[in-house]
Amino acid sequence: MNDLLDIITDPDLGGCTFQYGRITETVNEKGRAEFTEEKFTAEGNIQPAPGKEREALPDAERMKASILIFTPALLSAGEEKEKADRVYHGGNVYRVILAEPWQQHAGFTKAIAVLEPQ
């Protein structure tokens, strides 16, 4: 398993360091929803998402610029009180739209993220 992680994070094979933000929702003292983002640094391999991978996205998201990410970090497409993670890479912000955790047998998450308008 470590050999695969070595390949994913190898700079000669496209490995890089990036940041991602996890957004959580809380309720303030006035009963209003507030969102806070905590940023983390991770290693991984980020590439343009090929057409085959983009087919898994909803129609509206398919037309956006997207990236494919392999990382030991457990990225999330959002659930319950969390919104989808944001990935900061190459001066752009991407929203994770699909995350497949392969942590148990391969030690990484495969994710697709789409470009967020700025």
Side-chain angles (χ1 to χ4, degrees):
M1 181 165 38
N2 286 339
D3 292 339
L4 184 56
L5 290 178
D6 289 343
I7 291 170
I8 288 172
T9 58
D10 187 330
D12 292 334
L13 300 174
C16 63
T17 300
F18 64 94
Q19 284 197 313
Y20 69 96
R22 173 116 340 127
I23 301 167
T24 54
E25 179 183 354
T26 57
V27 178
N28 67 18
E29 62 277 353
K30 295 181 182 178
R32 295 190 179 126
E34 290 184 344
F35 297 97
T36 55
E37 180 178 30
E38 185 176 1
K39 287 189 179 176
F40 303 93
T41 300
E43 289 185 295
N45 195 295
I46 298 177
Q47 309 165 16
K52 181 180 176 186
E53 297 294 337
R54 295 168 64 127
E55 288 176 13
L57 301 178
D59 289 341
E61 304 292 352
R62 226 175 266 163
M63 302 309 294
K64 297 179 182 177
S66 57
I67 55 175
L68 178 61
I69 307 161
F70 294 93
T71 179
L74 189 57
L75 296 178
S76 172
E79 46 187 74
E80 294 185 28
K81 296 281 184 184
E82 293 180 353
K83 290 187 157 259
D85 288 343
R86 290 185 184 156
V87 174
Y88 298 88
H89 177 69
N92 293 310
V93 181
Y94 297 85
R95 178 175 37 90
V96 174
I97 192 101
L98 180 67
E100 298 175 348
W102 296 352
Q103 301 292 330
Q104 295 297 326
H105 66 281
F108 65 88
T109 298
K110 173 186 169 187
I112 301 174
V114 295
L115 185 63
E116 287 282 273
Q118 294 189 8

